[in-house]
Amino acid sequence: MEQVTLRGETGRVLGSRSSRRLRRDGRVPAVVYGHGLTALSVAVDRRELYAVLHTEAGLNALINLQVNGDEYLTVAREVQRHPVRGDIIHLDFIRISLDENIEAEVPVEFTGIPVGVREQKGIVETVHASVVVSCLPTAIPSHITIDISGLRINDSARVSDLPEIPGVAYLTDPTQLLVMCVIPAAAMVEAAAAATVEGEEVAAAEGEGED
């Protein structure tokens, strides 16, 4: 995985008022810590941060954070966003080592059209679309792919069905449901209604026969 560079500035005043001022100026307050580093308050440029976190690696990008002439290899974690705009308003940079495993959340991509969709009028219901893994920073997958074309109605795919990846360990519960192939709720309601009508018609016919 490639490393990207981001500049950080120190000397920011702590507190919500100062943080709001930074955001108005196009900067994002953050904290750097880990691997024996005393927590360091910094600010980074919003546009530069956006570019760093929108590579193929996403939030798992390996970031060389340059602060006061020093450089720290980090990953972004504890990202806080504005509840309406979605802008990043604060985040942590965790210092890491290339030879030590870290945890990362990785998206799962589902490929193929299930049999239950093609032949049985079902739909795909996604329950979870990411998993947590442990591996070396340079081995973090950008995504994990699983083929769901063989799923029939009421079949599912779980974490235990994901492919093995050398050097990568899944930390999410193996029984965690990822995706299901199901009958649409509307179709189930229609079927139940039809069954009710049919039952009433049968009962009425039987009643007439008894007279």
Side-chain angles (χ1 to χ4, degrees), residues 154-175:
N154 295 327
D155 284 349
S156 62
R158 300 177 183 273
V159 173
S160 58
D161 298 313
L162 292 175
E164 293 186 6
I165 303 174
V168 176
Y170 294 110
L171 300 183
T172 302
D173 186 342
T175 64

Side-chain angles (χ1 to χ4, degrees), residues 111-119 123-124 148-152 181:
T111 63
I113 301 176
V115 174
V117 173
R118 299 195 311 267
E119 302 176 5
I123 61 172
V124 174
I148 60 172
S149 58
L151 297 185
R152 294 181 174 275
C181 186

Side-chain angles (χ1 to χ4, degrees), residues 46-63:
R46 180 188 296 123
R47 292 183 178 179
E48 293 180 2
L49 176 65
Y50 182 91
V52 162
L53 298 182
H54 284 77
T55 65
E56 185 180 2
L59 288 176
N60 291 320
L62 304 184
I63 303 169

Side-chain angles (χ1 to χ4, degrees), residues 114-188:
V115 174
V117 173
R118 299 195 311 267
E119 302 176 5
Q120 300 173 295
K121 299 182 180 180
I123 61 172
V124 174
E125 184 175 295
T126 302
V127 181
H128 283 88
S130 65
V131 291
V132 177
V133 303
S134 174
C135 59
L136 293 176
T138 53
I140 301 174
S142 59
H143 62 275
I144 299 169
T145 301
I146 180 172
D147 184 358
I148 60 172
S149 58
L151 297 185
R152 294 181 174 275
I153 294 298
N154 295 327
D155 284 349
S156 62
R158 300 177 183 273
V159 173
S160 58
D161 298 313
L162 292 175
E164 293 186 6
I165 303 174
V168 176
Y170 294 110
L171 300 183
T172 302
D173 186 342
T175 64
Q176 174 64 62
L177 193 63
L178 297 174
V179 70
M180 297 179 62
C181 186
V182 297
I183 293 293
M188 295 180 66

Side-chain angles (χ1 to χ4, degrees), residues 67-78:
V67 183
N68 296 340
D70 295 320
E71 190 168 272
Y72 308 104
L73 181 60
T74 68
V75 289
R77 293 292 184 265
E78 302 299 326

